[in-house]
């Protein structure tokens, strides 16, 4: 699949898959200088890119496991949703969950973009729903083992 990507800044880097089997393409910080994120703080990090996601697909922006594990940095909203009709700059709100100040460097890989097909639904109001074995059992209702 070809996805048009517009560089909004000359230093922006196109999304890149780290391996041939990677599901997510790395998104890089497009910054004029390093950004410091204090413990408990969230900062918006631009990528300098706009994308034309194909109709019928959504771009999901996930954190990078290395940043979360080694530096306690992850997207503030956990998963970003980029609709196919959005043409603005891709940005990621990065939150510092740790106790140490962290620095995001220009060009650093900050998140990953996964393209996923989706279906739209027509939601119909009703007074009844079909019965299931689980029924209305909520969180933890199916056990732990």
């Amino acid at each position: 699949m070809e996805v048009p990507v517009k560089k909004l800044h000359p230093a922006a880097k196109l999304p890149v898959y780290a391996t041939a089997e990677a599901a997510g393409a790395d998104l890089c910080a497009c910054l004029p200088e390093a950004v410091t994120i204090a413990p408990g703080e969230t900062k918006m990090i631009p990528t300098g890119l706009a994308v034309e996601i194909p109709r019928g697909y959504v771009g999901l922006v996930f954190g990078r496991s290395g940043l979360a594990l080694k530096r306690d940095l992850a997207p503030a909203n956990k998963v970003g949703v980029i609709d196919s009709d959005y043409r603005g700059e891709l940005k990621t709100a990065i939150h510092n969950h740790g106790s140490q100040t962290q620095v995001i460097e220009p060009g650093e890989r900050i998140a990953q973009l996964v393209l996923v097909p989706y279906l739209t639904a027509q939601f119909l109001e009703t007074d009844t729903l079909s019965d299931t074995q689980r029924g209305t059992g909520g969180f933890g209702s199916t056990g732990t083992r």
Side-chain angles (χ1 to χ4, degrees), residues 61-129:
V61 179
F62 293 97
R64 297 191 65 251
S65 57
L67 278 183
L69 180 65
K70 297 174 185 173
R71 296 176 50 201
D72 293 316
L73 296 174
N77 59 337
K78 310 305 180 218
V79 178
V81 176
I82 305 167
D83 297 313
S84 63
D85 59 350
Y86 177 67
R87 294 296 183 268
E89 183 176 11
L90 302 184
K91 298 178 182 180
T92 301
I94 299 291
H95 182 77
N96 183 348
H97 293 275
S99 59
Q100 306 264 333
T101 296
Q102 297 292 330
V103 176
I104 300 290
E105 298 289 343
E108 183 173 350
R109 296 179 296 165
I110 56 165
Q112 53 187 328
L113 175 65
V114 178
L115 299 177
V116 179
Y118 68 90
L119 301 172
T120 55
Q122 184 177 17
F123 296 97
L124 305 173
E125 185 175 351
T126 183
D127 292 327
T128 61
L129 299 174

Side-chain angles (χ1 to χ4, degrees), residues 9-35:
H9 189 279
K13 295 181 179 182
L14 293 181
V16 174
Y17 294 99
T19 67
E21 299 297 321
D26 289 328
L27 296 174
C28 297
C30 184
L31 301 165
E33 58 188 27
V35 170

